[in-house]
Amino acid sequence: MRILMIEDNKSVSDMMGMFFKKEKWNVTFAYDGLKAVEIFKTDPGQWDIVLLDLNLPGKDGMEVAAELRRMSQSIPLIMLTARDSESDQVLGLEMGADEYITKPFSPITLIARIKALHRRVAMNKEEAEKGGQDEKFDVRTTHLKISTTTREVYLDNNLISDLTPKEFDLLKTLAQKPMQVFSREQLLQMVWDYEYYVDERTVDAHIKKLRQKLEAVGPQVVQTVWGVGYKFDDSKIDED
């Protein structure tokens, strides 16, 4: 695995460097926001995961996240920060982070989160390799088509091209079982691939961003079931 860690605290970087070495992962460190953007844009496709601190010199982490997302919608992004307010967490997730981890954090926990996120991306790639061009869209509903092979999503034949990895996984999970209501806890387990992270605001923030992207091209198909969770429903779109 090739990791870009953007962190201005060298002691934290050095500590994580030892853990990455034990895992036999390759890591490049950037200690300020400006340098991080320069490193990333040389070849956005070379990275498997980006770890991003928010309190950075040169360029704020939120700005860096926005720039990275403009260059790559698919790069898995984990934010690391001492900002633990709800507004900061929601903003970070809305800026395109797949996960948000507050400091101080356990290195072992961070390693587990990285593995879980990377495993989810790898599973999608494996499904893509098994798929054939004749069966390009493996999830189909009345108005939606999803291809795991190409990670393309079409709503009423309009391409949604800017979904992050977690947004794609969320939509696919919901659309695979139309009308089924998923609780936030279920979505955390199925999409984030671990059971112990109980901050359900993570799901809400990603759903909010996903809805904005859906509404930009077509009807809203992700519905809230108050007091329970979310469901996919495009059955009533054609009704007057």
Side-chain angles (χ1 to χ4, degrees), residues 32-58:
D32 67 76
L34 291 171
K35 184 64 175 177
V37 172
E38 289 297 318
I39 292 174
F40 185 82
K41 73 179 182 181
T42 58
D43 185 6
Q46 71 174 299
W47 310 106
D48 294 302
I49 282 180
V50 173
L51 308 177
L52 172 63
D53 182 35
L54 292 188
N55 296 319
L56 294 169

Side-chain angles (χ1 to χ4, degrees), residues 196-208:
Y196 52 84
Y197 186 45
V198 295
D199 190 347
E200 296 178 349
R201 294 171 299 184
T202 298
V203 176
D204 294 335
H206 281 80
I207 289 288
K208 178 180 178 181

